[in-house]
Amino acid sequence: MASYPKSLVLLPLTLYEFKGKWELASENSGISAMHIILFPNTNKAIMLDAVSLGPSNVRLPVGIYRLNPGAWQKYVDYRALAVEYDAESAAIRPLKILTDTWSSSGGLSANGTIVISGGWSSRGRSVRYLSGCYHACYWKEHHWELSAKRWFSTQHILPDGSFIVVGGRREFSYEYILKEGKRIIYDLPILNETTNPSENNLYPFVFLSTDGNLFIFANDRSILLNPETNEILHVFPILRGGSRNYPASATSALLPIKLQDPNSNAIRAEVLICGGAKPEAGVLAGKGEFMNALQDCGRIEITNKSATWQREMMPSPRVMGEMLLLPTGDVLIINGAKKGTAGWNFATDPNTTPVLYEPDDPINERFSELTPTSKPRMCHSTSVVLPDGKILVAGSNPHSRYNLTSGSKYPTELRIEKFYPPYFDESFASYRPSIVSKFKGKMLKYGQNFVIQFKLDELEVSLNDLKVTMYAPPFTTHGVSMGQRLLVPATKELIDVGSGIFQVSVMAPPTAKIAPPSFYLLFVVYRQVPSPGTWVQIG
């Protein structure tokens, strides 16, 4: 059962039964959002799709076109395969991008630049940069920045602000972007050892642990890698039961990191992996036989070398879902299917029911089902947490080309929805804080105290009922939320400054290993009801 404001425990049970709601935000996003990422200091999302899957439903501005560089015969294309989407007005702005980002990887850099690596065919070695969209959006595209073609690889920011890119189709290795100008390929045997006829080890799960090492998971196995020495430090137990990476496509997250203890060596880190498919499911789906997806989850403490996987069961099977960290510290699992795998027409029986996972509850009480949507979101669907705490849900094109006909079983989806998690229950409105402090243009420093002023319609507020969270928004694609991170910093000295304004002192994360330099959404959470987020930068 979800955690609700403590003062509501004596109110009617119906107040506990709000399971969220859905809203149609836009009838036409122009493109099917295979990739999505928030642009910092805005309420806007950048969405991208593959060049080869079009034509999309939105044109580039008059006089602008792209010359398809990957076709046997070059041709002029006036359709956009990237847009900027305004989450408030639903306005879209088409963006010109030349190289094909099909099944690429990405993230947000230390200075707020969107960095996208890899992609399809001859542009698999490309890296693209987008650093401003205030008047015009221009991508800087470098065609040969990577040492190997990275298609279906995973990207993650490191404590020094550089990026690691792991794996890719038939690339059993990793390399770094923006790290001392080096272009070196490092072998990663676990990728070669875990591939099978369906592959099932693409888009590996990569998380930066609190000690600065990288947890890398492929298919059913995982390691801890030191990105400074490139040494494999530990091999974790096998997560049995099936395959977990593309196209088996489980979903995963690094659970919220609690920073009450300022000693960074004592800070625990846990990973949750849910769903997936049997190893043979991809081969069978290609023959039209759709196996049930996996229903189990594995959870492990990656900072404990003697840890083993703790097993749990979701309410229903799921493949191709997304896992998002909510401002409250709970986890939302959304989108996907109950049968089959990722791939074109390789899945059926959409799983339209989101699930809430509460990591601090007893093991048999952590899952609860929420309000379902009426729109299937399977292969190439995406979702992202917005600054106001709502969930933006987009995409789904399970076909080799755009198929917008109503006669298709699962048409290409251009509609955008918003999902309101349970903390948007109207009965909780008086418990919703609003941050009044202004952080734009200011830089938080590691280990230093800073203060947040917020407004709340309460006469008395206890520090025990309050927490602050810092959220690093991910680059989301194919069920993988790259770079996603939620921190719960230590709070102290809550002061009532009058007129409904309160002030809380917060200790910033101690090191870049805990919070890589970049932009985060800052939330004040009162009795499990979060404020709208405000952007902060740490470095």
Side-chain angles (χ1 to χ4, degrees):
M1 178 175 288
S3 300
Y4 289 96
K6 295 177 181 177
S7 61
L8 297 184
V9 295
L10 300 179
L11 294 182
L13 184 62
T14 53
L15 290 178
Y16 288 82
E17 295 178 350
F18 179 68
K19 300 297 183 182
K21 67 177 183 179
W22 291 86
E23 171 186 277
L24 181 63
S26 174
E27 286 281 0
N28 183 7
S29 58
I31 69 168
S32 182
M34 179 190 296
H35 315 301
I36 191 169
I37 186 171
L38 284 182
F39 213 90
N41 284 327
T42 71
N43 197 33
K44 298 177 181 179
I46 302 299
M47 302 177 181
L48 303 102
D49 202 1
V51 168
S52 52
L53 303 187
S56 71
N57 206 31
V58 60
R59 291 181 63 91
L60 289 162
V62 175
I64 298 179
Y65 61 90
R66 56 177 303 279
L67 189 65
N68 189 330
W72 288 106
Q73 182 176 359
K74 293 183 180 180
Y75 64 92
V76 173
D77 191 351
Y78 294 96
R79 298 281 180 169
L81 270 303
V83 298
E84 175 199 65
Y85 176 81
D86 190 316
E88 293 182 358
S89 67
I92 60 172
R93 174 162 56 169
L95 311 178
K96 179 184 178 182
I97 189 166
L98 297 177
T99 53
D100 197 339
T101 62
W102 178 12
S103 299
S104 56
S105 55
L108 198 62
S109 76
N111 67 3
T113 297
I114 294 173
V115 181
I116 296 178
S117 60
W120 166 241
S121 190
S122 62
R123 296 314 180 200
R125 292 174 59 184
S126 296
V127 180
R128 311 153 193 86
Y129 302 88
L130 181 64
S131 57
C133 258
Y134 301 105
H135 302 292
C137 289
Y138 296 106
W139 293 85
K140 293 182 179 179
E141 303 183 56
H142 302 270
H143 300 328
W144 308 106
E145 190 161 338
L146 296 176
S147 299
K149 291 182 179 179
R150 303 289 174 185
W151 192 35
F152 293 94
S153 59
T154 302
Q155 179 177 320
H156 201 295
I157 192 169
L158 298 173
D160 65 358
S162 65
F163 289 97
I164 189 172
V165 186
V166 181
R169 178 154 283 174
R170 291 178 287 278
E171 292 293 346
F172 309 121
S173 62
Y174 65 94
E175 61 182 289
Y176 298 97
I177 307 173
L178 304 177
K179 191 169 186 178
E180 301 174 0
K182 295 179 180 178
R183 290 180 56 183
I184 303 174
I185 293 178
Y186 299 87
D187 289 336
L188 195 59
I190 189 176
L191 296 178
N192 196 11
E193 294 164 0
T194 54
T195 192
N196 60 33
S198 294
E199 294 180 283
N200 288 330
N201 67 348
L202 302 179
Y203 275 131
F205 301 135
V206 180
F207 299 107
L208 178 68
S209 185
T210 53
D211 56 9
N213 296 312
L214 290 164
F215 175 83
I216 301 175
F217 184 100
N219 200 329
D220 60 0
R221 285 183 256 172
S222 48
I223 61 170
L224 198 65
L225 175 73
N226 184 324
E228 295 181 358
T229 65
N230 298 294
E231 177 187 2
I232 295 175
L233 303 177
H234 182 65
V235 177
F236 292 94
I238 293 174
L239 177 57
R240 302 191 183 277
S243 297
R244 310 288 176 169
N245 294 93
Y246 185 94
S249 296
T251 186
S252 182
L254 180 70
L255 293 178
I257 300 170
K258 299 176 182 179
L259 304 178
Q260 286 81 359
D261 188 340
N263 177 8
S264 60
N265 294 325
I267 295 173
R268 299 169 68 244
E270 291 183 279
V271 166
L272 177 69
I273 298 174
C274 288
K278 291 292 185 181
E280 66 272 24
V283 172
L284 292 175
K287 300 176 182 178
E289 181 179 343
F290 304 108
M291 298 187 72
N292 287 333
L294 301 181
Q295 194 169 344
D296 67 331
C297 298
R299 176 170 167 173
I300 193 167
E301 183 183 346
I302 62 174
T303 44
N304 179 1
K305 291 186 178 180
S306 63
T308 58
W309 290 96
Q310 181 186 68
R311 305 299 288 272
E312 305 179 62
M313 295 296 289
M314 294 185 291
S316 60
R318 195 179 300 259
V319 64
M320 297 185 295
E322 285 111 45
M323 195 176 284
L324 296 175
L325 302 175
L326 298 179
T328 57
D330 294 331
V331 181
L332 182 71
I333 305 174
I334 197 168
N335 296 338
K338 297 178 182 178
K339 295 181 179 180
T341 69
W344 292 326
N345 303 302
F346 273 25
T348 189
D349 196 4
N351 195 330
T352 57
T353 302
V355 168
L356 189 71
Y357 178 85
E358 298 175 271
D360 295 332
D361 279 6
I363 189 169
N364 59 344
E365 300 177 15
R366 292 173 180 164
F367 287 104
S368 56
E369 292 187 305
L370 304 178
T371 303
T373 179
S374 60
K375 299 168 184 60
R377 303 277 184 179
M378 297 195 296
C379 191
H380 295 170
S381 62
T382 49
S383 57
V384 68
V385 179
L386 292 172
D388 62 8
K390 302 182 185 78
I391 311 301
L392 192 70
V393 185
S396 188
N397 181 27
H399 312 287
S400 60
R401 301 281 289 175
Y402 274 42
N403 187 339
L404 303 172
T405 63
S406 58
S408 172
K409 188 174 183 180
Y410 304 118
T412 300
E413 188 58 74
L414 300 182
R415 292 173 293 180
I416 296 178
E417 296 173 282
K418 287 182 181 179
F419 178 67
Y420 291 63
Y423 49 71
F424 278 100
D425 189 328
E426 293 180 358
S427 302
F428 302 164
S430 63
Y431 297 92
R432 185 163 293 115
S434 59
I435 297 173
V436 297
S437 298
K438 304 297 182 184
F439 290 97
K440 190 172 183 179
K442 301 178 182 178
M443 179 80 75
L444 299 183
K445 299 298 182 181
Y446 292 109
Q448 293 185 350
N449 285 329
F450 66 99
V451 296
I452 305 171
Q453 289 194 342
F454 60 95
K455 188 173 183 179
L456 185 61
D457 294 334
E458 286 277 83
L459 295 177
E460 295 183 6
V461 177
S462 169
L463 191 59
N464 292 331
D465 292 332
L466 192 77
K467 65 182 174 184
V468 171
T469 57
M470 293 175 61
Y471 179 63
F475 177 92
T476 301
T477 185
H478 292 77
V480 183
S481 295
M482 303 178 194
Q484 180 174 228
R485 202 174 192 84
L486 188 103
L487 309 171
V488 187
T491 55
K492 60 181 180 179
E493 198 178 9
L494 178 65
I495 301 173
D496 183 347
V497 298
S499 302
I501 304 295
F502 299 85
Q503 178 175 296
V504 63
S505 178
V506 183
M507 179 178 285
T511 68
K513 293 178 180 179
I514 305 295
S518 191
F519 284 80
Y520 292 73
L521 280 168
L522 183 73
F523 297 91
V524 172
V525 183
Y526 178 65
R527 295 181 174 177
Q528 285 299 92
V529 180
S531 70
T534 187
W535 288 98
V536 297
Q537 186 179 10
I538 190 167

